């Protein structure tokens, strides 16, 4: 199975729960498990090759020119993480199936979970840093959705938001860092970057890239001082905490550091930043964890601490430390996921996670006790469990590392942190499961069914197995991963017993100290309570709140609610920018002679200027202004005819008619005059802005018309190939339906969406309280005496078939002469609108057999199908074909597939225009218009 | 001729901008209609003005004008209509809901919008 397919499987699985939403939790969980299992099997099939040192790759080029490719690589590190993600994912799906309440929507949960799984798998399998970045952000997003899964809880929403802000910001930094890295290495492919380590480390961009990448990794992996989001993410359902916030997602930062280890590590900067951050995180997390009251809080801070430990090991920069880090990733994932699941079981059974309220649970829940105890002891690093081996490896490395001068400084700090780690691990067991049996539980706790305990039990068995047979159980995987990280074949040998070494002594001190610390817990807790407790999370909240307040202040200051102020400012800025560009740039000399001015052109110009001037002068009288706008539009159409643009003229004139009809219908409900509201100085200022804009725009147009094109136009290509490739003589139409058919396709879709939006707006207007308002406002208005004058009715009905014939003609000839789908559609709309106007809404609506929405859909569909038809011929979307046909009795004629596309345009235009006008008419009816059929030709047909 | 077209574009633009800066929705809608005339003419004029050479292929035609701006403007005209219709509808809705056709936000709503 290709690594690309493996990475895609969880995403495919994410589609399934939504489809199965009615089938319940069990089916959704099974479907997800099936996809996860398939991906896991696919991954394991590659294991022999990967263990032999091969790198399995798959590559799908997307935009090779700028280095964008979906390329995947599966090496030892990817295999280790892939098995963790999918293996633990499988157990989590099982656990979540039984953990979720029947009232929790399972479709949403499993969809998010699979989305996360896919993103995480994408990170560890991707070989392109840009792909990796996309997946990285996807994990942040899916984590946000999962933390906020119980969206009715305020702390869930807050935790989700904080996690998104912190990891999202880190992600932004990392984008910059990885792009810098790609720049330095000369490639965005990880395979190339990994080979360019020497060049990267000596580059002047090394430090900026390193810092930016580490910010991304540290925020994701909750390293100090970005650790505060992780405990708050515990508002997520427990399966999520176990999966994302302990076993997998928070290890993405670790993964990235390990992935780039050969490139970035080995420098003093790397050592100091990474080791120090890891050490600080390890200590802070361990100390805070000991004093948590919430079981999940304890585990969250302990996760922070362990992530710090792994980071520190990677920071050491030695091969042995990298091996230890890989081992601890496996060890930590097994015991920590098990502990989270056990906590979920306790929460389910006792309805509380507060350690102060829990006591003696071991007697009531023996099975859970065993699971939790073994996992805790592994976390404490007690032999012979898996956690012991990795802790020993870590201590061994720490003992040999010089940090801050002294040879033993680091060692002792680590021992102290380990001491706290032992103490909180034991506290989890002894303060919860042993001691006096508490009787005041809301419900009597008991062991759960197998569905809940099976998953943690398997993990606990694994942690025991790792301790008992480290080489056989996990060693091979760790070795493969460490080889991939270090770039040199590693053959480590793991065992519980190493003989008496410094690490063993340190371990002994830590365990003894930890036990003592737990015995003195109450004293220690009082000391802790007396000390100040800084909370970075609260600072973060305060910072976010302040930023929000500032930006709101700026936004409110800029926009005070006055539209004309904002629009005026925009126009002024555009004009100023244009003038600045003009003043600083160089324009070519006027090379085109002017066309002579003819009398007819001058008359048109005078009419346009007069109409426009009058319109500004009389704009308060709205009906008059509308008539004047119509005149301006007509002159513009005439100008198009005069200047060799017959298609534009046809379109403009028909759009003009429909626009005026729309505005008239609207004016029916709006005030008929505009009152004077602005003061004279304000009007003068607006006039000044308007004249400046007009002057600038006119001057720009003049300069463009007088100068030649800056570079050769593509017009020649279109003119030359219009017939050869598009089969049409009307170049404008061929551009619309063929050369730029994609644009037209988008455009008719937009037109359809606009019409549907108008329809939706109408729904809210005519329904409910607003509809009543409409009736109150206009219900008692006087009506014209003869609303459907007989001559108008007769003429429009005679005109209808004529206009339809003309429309068909204009449509058919569109490919070779002015016309086409747009114009024909507008013409048909006008003919239909005339029926509505002359004979009444009821009469016309009663004779309509196709809903206008349907027409829009049909149009888009027809255009789409025509475009897709080109695929059958193996050509790209919207490639047209044409041919000549002869039918008996007719002349030879031409048929082009573009005709089908134009038909789609036609249908969409008719549907959209009619839906808009029909919506306006519906408002009229709601406002009290009735079907007045008294003077209609067939009164019976008017009633509905 | 170029001067006539350029001045027409300028005058249309000036009138449109003045109307758009009014405070009532109907004037703004009219202004936008005028502005789309001006912009369509402007886009069209980027193909330079040519008389008697429509871009329809025929035998013996010596030259054709640039068809590309025409295709752009054609779709712009239709989309402009769609936009006008949506804006008109919104103006109508605002008038019925709010009782007047002012476009400014009432001072009580301005500032502190959102949470």
């Amino acid at each position: 199975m290709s690594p690309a397919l493996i990475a895609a499987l969880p995403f495919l699985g994410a589609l399934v729960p939504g489809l199965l939403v009615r089938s319940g939790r069990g089916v959704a969980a099974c479907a997800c498990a099936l996809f996860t299992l398939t991906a896991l099997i696919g991954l394991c099939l590659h294991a022999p090759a990967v263990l032999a040192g091969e790198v399995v790759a798959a590559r799908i080029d997307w935009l090779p020119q700028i280095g964008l490719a979906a390329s995947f690589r599966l090496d030892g590190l990817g295999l280790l993480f892939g098995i963790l993600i999918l293996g633990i994912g499988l157990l989590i799906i099982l656990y979540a199936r039984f953990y979720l309440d029947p009232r929790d929507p399972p479709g949403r949960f499993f969809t998010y979970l699979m989305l996360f799984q896919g993103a995480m798998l994408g990170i560890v399998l991707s070989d392109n840093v840009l792909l990796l970045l996309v997946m990285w952000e996807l994990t942040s997003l899916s984590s946000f959705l999962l933390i906020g899964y119980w969206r009715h809880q305020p702390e869930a929403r807050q935790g989700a938001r904080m996690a998104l802000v912190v990891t999202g910001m880190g992600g932004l930094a990392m984008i910059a860092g990885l792009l810098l890295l790609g720049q330095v290495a000369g490639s965005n492919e990880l395979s190339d970057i990994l080979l360019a380590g020497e060049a990267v480390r000596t580059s002047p961009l090394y430090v900026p890239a390193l810092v930016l990448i580490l910010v991304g990794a540290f925020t994701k992996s909750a390293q100090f001082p970005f650790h505060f989001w992780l405990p708050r993410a515990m508002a997520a359902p427990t399966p999520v905490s176990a999966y994302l916030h302990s076993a997998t997602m928070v290890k993405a930062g670790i993964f990235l550091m390990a992935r780039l280890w050969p490139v970035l590590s080995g420098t003093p900067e790397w050592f100091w930043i990474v080791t120090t951050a890891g050490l600080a995180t390890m200590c802070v997390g361990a100390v805070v964890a000991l004093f948590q009251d919430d079981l999940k809080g304890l585990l969250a801070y302990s996760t922070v601490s362990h992530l710090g430990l792994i980071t520190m090991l990677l920071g050491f920069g030695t091969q042995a430390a990298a091996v230890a880090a890989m081992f601890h990733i496996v060890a930590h994932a097994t015991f920590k996921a098990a502990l989270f699941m056990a906590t979920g079981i306790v929460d389910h059974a006792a309805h509380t996670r507060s350690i102060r309220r829990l006591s003696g649970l071991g007697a009531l829940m023996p099975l859970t006790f065993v699971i939790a105890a073994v996992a805790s002891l592994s976390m404490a690093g007690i032999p012979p469990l898996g956690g012991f081996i990795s802790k020993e490896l870590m201590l061994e490395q720490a003992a040999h590392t010089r940090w801050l001068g002294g040879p033993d400084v680091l060692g002792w700090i680590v021992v102290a942190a380990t001491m706290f780690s032992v103490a909180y691990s034991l506290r989890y067991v002894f303060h919860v499961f042993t001691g006096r049996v508490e009787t005041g539980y809301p419900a009597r706790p008991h062991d759960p069914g197998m569905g809940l305990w099976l998953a943690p039990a398997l993990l606990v068995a694994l942690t025991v197995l790792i301790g008992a047979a480290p080489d056989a159980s996990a060693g091979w995987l760790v070795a493969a991963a460490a080889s991939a990280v270090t770039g040199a074949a590693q053959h480590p040998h793991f065992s519980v017993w190493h003989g008496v070494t410094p690490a063993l002594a340190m371990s002994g001190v830590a365990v003894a100290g930890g036990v003592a610390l737990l015995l003195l817990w109450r004293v220690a807790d009082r000391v802790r309570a007396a000390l100040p407790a800084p909370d970075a999370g609260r600072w973060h909240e305060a910072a976010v709140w302040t930023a929000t307040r500032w930006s709101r202040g700026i936004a409110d200051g800029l926009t005070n609610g006055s539209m004309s102020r904002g629009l005026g400012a925009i126009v002024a800025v555009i004009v100023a920018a244009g003038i600045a560009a003009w003043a600083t740039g160089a324009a070519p000399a006027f090379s085109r002679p002017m066309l002579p001015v003819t009398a007819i052109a001058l008359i048109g110009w005078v009419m346009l200027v007069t109409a426009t001037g009058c319109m500004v002068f009389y704009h308060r009288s709205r009906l008059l202004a509308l008539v004047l706008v119509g005149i301006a539009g007509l002159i513009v159409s005439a100008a198009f005819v005069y200047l060799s643009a017959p298609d534009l003229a046809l379109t403009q004139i028909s759009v003009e008619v429909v626009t005026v009809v729309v505005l008239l219908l609207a004016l029916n409900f709006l005030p008929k005059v505009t009152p004077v509201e602005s003061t004279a100085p304000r009007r003068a200022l607006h006039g000044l802005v308007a004249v400046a804009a007009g002057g600038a725009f006119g001057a720009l147009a003049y300069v463009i018309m007088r100068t030649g094109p800056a570079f050769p136009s593509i017009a020649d290509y279109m003119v030359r190939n219009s017939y050869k490739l598009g089969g049409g003589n009307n170049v404008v139409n061929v551009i619309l339906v063929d050369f730029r058919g994609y644009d037209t396709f988008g455009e008719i879709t937009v037109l359809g969406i606009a019409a549907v939006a108008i329809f939706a707006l109408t729904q809210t207007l005519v329904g409910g309280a607003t509809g009543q308002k409409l009736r109150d406002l206009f219900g008692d208005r006087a009506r014209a005496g003869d609303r459907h004058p007989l001559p108008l009715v007769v003429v429009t009905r005679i005109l209808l078939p004529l206009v339809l014939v003309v429309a068909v003609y204009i449509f058919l000839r569109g490919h070779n002469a002015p016309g086409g789908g747009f114009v024909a559609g507008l013409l048909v709309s006008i003919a239909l609108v005339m029926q509505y106007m002359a004979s009444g809404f009821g009469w016309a609506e009663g004779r309509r057999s196709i809903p206008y929405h349907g027409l829009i859909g049909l149009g888009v569909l027809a255009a789409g199908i025509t475009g897709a038809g080109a695929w059958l011929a193996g050509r790209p979307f919207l490639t047209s074909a044409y041919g000549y046909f002869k039918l008996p009795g007719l002349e030879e004629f031409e048929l082009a597939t573009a005709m089908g596309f134009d038909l789609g345009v036609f249908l969409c235009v008719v549907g959209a225009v009619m839906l808009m006008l029909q919506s306006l008419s519906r408002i009229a009816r709601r406002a009290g218009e009735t079907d007045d059929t008294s003077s209609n030709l067939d009164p019976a047909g008017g009633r509905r | 001729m170029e001067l006539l077209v350029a001045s027409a574009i300028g005058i249309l633009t000036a009138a449109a901008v003045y109307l758009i800066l009014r405070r009532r929705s109907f004037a703004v809608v009219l202004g936008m209609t005028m502005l789309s005339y001006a912009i369509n003419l402007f886009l069209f004029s980027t193909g330079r003005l040519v008389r008697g050479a429509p871009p329809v292929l025929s035998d013996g035609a010596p030259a054709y004008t640039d068809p590309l701006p025409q295709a752009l403007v054609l779709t712009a005209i239709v989309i402009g209509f769609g936009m006008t219709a949506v804006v008109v509808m919104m103006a109508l809705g605002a008038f019925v809901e709010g009782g007047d056709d002012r476009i400014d936000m009432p001072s009580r709503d301005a500032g502190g919008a959102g949470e």
Side-chain angles (χ1 to χ4, degrees), chain A residues 660-672:
Chain A
V660 170
V661 170
V662 166
L663 287 173
L664 269 176
L665 278 171
L667 193 54
N668 193 19
F669 299 101
L670 292 170
K672 304 296 174 285

Side-chain angles (χ1 to χ4, degrees), chain A residues 56-366:
Chain A
V56 183
R59 182 184 175 86
I60 304 159
D61 272 322
W62 180 35
L63 285 177
Q65 297 88 345
I66 54 169
L68 285 183
S71 50
F72 298 88
R73 69 181 269 137
L74 176 59
D75 59 3
L77 186 64
L79 185 69
L80 171 82
F81 271 89
I83 288 177
L84 278 186
I85 292 161
L86 294 169
I88 295 184
L90 212 52
L91 297 178
I92 292 289
I93 290 170
L94 166 72
Y95 181 80
R97 153 70 185 85
F98 293 93
Y99 178 85
L100 286 183
D101 193 86
R103 281 166 300 178
D104 295 329
R108 199 147 56 82
F109 181 86
F110 284 109
T111 301
Y112 295 165
L113 199 71
M114 294 304 280
L115 204 60
F116 162 77
Q117 195 184 75
M120 192 66 206
L121 205 56
I123 290 182
V124 303
L125 293 183
S126 85
D127 191 24
N128 184 295
V129 290
L130 300 174
L131 181 67
L132 189 147
L133 283 169
V134 172
M135 295 297 176
W136 184 277
E137 296 296 337
L138 257 183
T139 59
S140 291
L141 282 178
S142 49
S143 157
F144 168 79
L145 292 169
L146 282 166
I147 299 171
Y149 175 69
W150 285 323
R151 48 193 175 199
H152 52 277
Q153 296 177 355
E155 60 269 31
R157 296 199 297 269
Q158 193 211 12
R161 208 163 51 221
M162 189 182 284
L164 185 66
V165 169
V166 175
T167 56
M169 270 183 352
L172 287 182
M174 205 181 81
I175 290 178
L178 284 180
L179 289 180
L180 281 183
L181 187 65
Q183 202 81 32
V184 175
S187 165
N188 286 326
E189 298 293 303
L190 271 172
S191 325
D192 301 334
I193 293 175
L194 289 179
L195 297 176
E198 195 54 45
V200 170
R201 283 189 296 272
T202 51
S203 156
L205 287 175
Y206 169 71
V207 175
L210 175 71
V211 169
L212 288 168
I213 292 171
L214 285 181
V215 167
F218 286 178
T219 48
K220 196 75 158 187
S221 284
Q223 294 300 295
F224 182 83
F226 307 114
H227 62 286
F228 53 87
W229 69 266
L230 185 58
R232 283 178 175 77
M234 292 299 137
T238 299
V240 174
S241 308
Y243 193 31
L244 273 68
H245 305 124
S246 78
T248 54
M249 188 189 82
V250 288
K251 297 217 174 81
I254 307 264
F255 169 82
L256 192 77
M257 286 187 265
R259 176 92 285 171
L260 297 176
W261 195 87
V263 186
L264 298 177
S265 77
T267 63
E269 292 92 343
W270 169 274
F271 174 78
W272 283 104
I273 301 176
V274 179
T275 305
T276 311
L279 186 65
T281 311
M282 182 180 172
C283 297
V284 170
V287 173
V288 178
L290 181 59
F291 301 106
Q292 287 296 303
D293 182 39
D294 179 7
L295 272 179
K296 275 176 88 174
L298 184 155
L299 292 180
Y301 277 104
S302 125
T303 304
V304 168
S305 171
H306 281 272
L307 292 170
L309 187 163
I310 302 171
T311 303
M312 180 185 76
L313 283 174
L314 288 172
F316 288 169
T318 61
Q319 302 205 346
V323 173
M326 291 304 114
F327 196 98
H328 196 67
I329 287 171
V330 178
H332 177 252
T334 48
F335 65 67
K336 191 52 70 64
L339 278 170
F340 265 107
M341 293 191 208
T343 304
I345 294 173
V346 169
D347 193 11
H348 250 220
H351 294 279
T352 178
R353 298 195 311 249
S354 168
I355 301 179
R356 286 173 205 277
R357 295 181 59 193
L358 294 166
S359 182
L361 272 186
L364 302 171
M365 311 170 71

Side-chain angles (χ1 to χ4, degrees), chain A residues 418-704:
Chain A
T418 313
M419 208 166 78
F420 276 89
S421 170
V422 171
Y424 69 65
S425 304
L426 297 180
R427 179 163 181 245
Y428 187 102
V429 180
F430 289 106
H431 284 194
V432 175
F433 288 96
T434 63
R436 187 173 51 83
V437 177
E438 185 73 48
T439 49
Y441 292 118
R444 189 180 156 73
H446 57 87
D447 272 324
M450 194 169 97
L452 276 181
W453 64 252
L454 184 62
L458 285 172
L459 286 170
V460 162
L462 198 60
T463 199
V464 173
L465 193 65
I466 292 176
D471 282 331
S473 59
W476 48 276
L477 194 55
V478 170
S483 308
V485 170
T486 57
Q490 302 289 334
H491 303 287
H493 173 69
F494 305 105
S495 66
V496 171
W497 181 247
H498 283 275
V500 182
T501 58
L504 190 67
M506 288 158 87
S507 215
V509 172
V511 171
V515 171
L517 200 54
L518 187 65
L519 292 175
L520 296 171
W521 186 81
R522 282 179 201 292
V523 182
D525 193 41
R526 271 201 291 280
V527 173
R528 194 248 347 153
L531 295 173
D535 182 1
R538 219 169 297 141
W539 299 344
H540 168 87
E541 284 286 281
V544 168
W545 192 77
T546 315
T548 312
R549 217 184 34 176
W550 281 0
S551 53
R552 188 172 289 161
I554 293 171
D556 290 349
L558 284 177
T559 55
N560 66 345
S562 160
M563 276 278 273
S564 52
R565 187 188 201 186
L567 290 175
I570 291 172
V571 171
V573 167
I574 292 174
V575 171
I579 290 174
W582 176 260
T584 52
F590 289 174
S591 56
R592 292 174 65 91
M594 287 218 260
L595 290 181
V597 177
T598 57
I600 189 123
L602 198 61
I603 294 171
W605 183 83
V606 171
M607 283 172 75
L608 181 71
V609 172
T610 315
T612 313
C614 288
M615 146 121 192
V616 172
F617 198 71
Y618 292 116
H619 81 267
R620 300 189 189 286
S621 167
R622 294 182 170 181
L623 195 59
L624 183 58
L626 189 50
V627 172
L628 290 168
V629 164
I631 293 178
L634 285 182
I635 309 280
V636 171
S637 318
F640 286 142
V641 177
Y642 186 79
L643 296 167
S644 319
D647 276 291
L648 286 190
L650 278 174
T651 316
Q652 176 76 55
I653 205 160
S654 28
V655 161
E656 202 48 50
V657 175
V658 209
T659 308
V660 170
V661 170
V662 166
L663 287 173
L664 269 176
L665 278 171
L667 193 54
N668 193 19
F669 299 101
L670 292 170
K672 304 296 174 285
V673 289
T674 306
V676 182
E677 281 181 318
S678 310
T679 55
R682 182 173 287 270
R683 287 207 299 275
L685 181 68
H686 287 173
L688 205 66
V689 173
V691 168
F697 203 36
L700 178 64
Y702 182 71
V703 172
I704 289 178

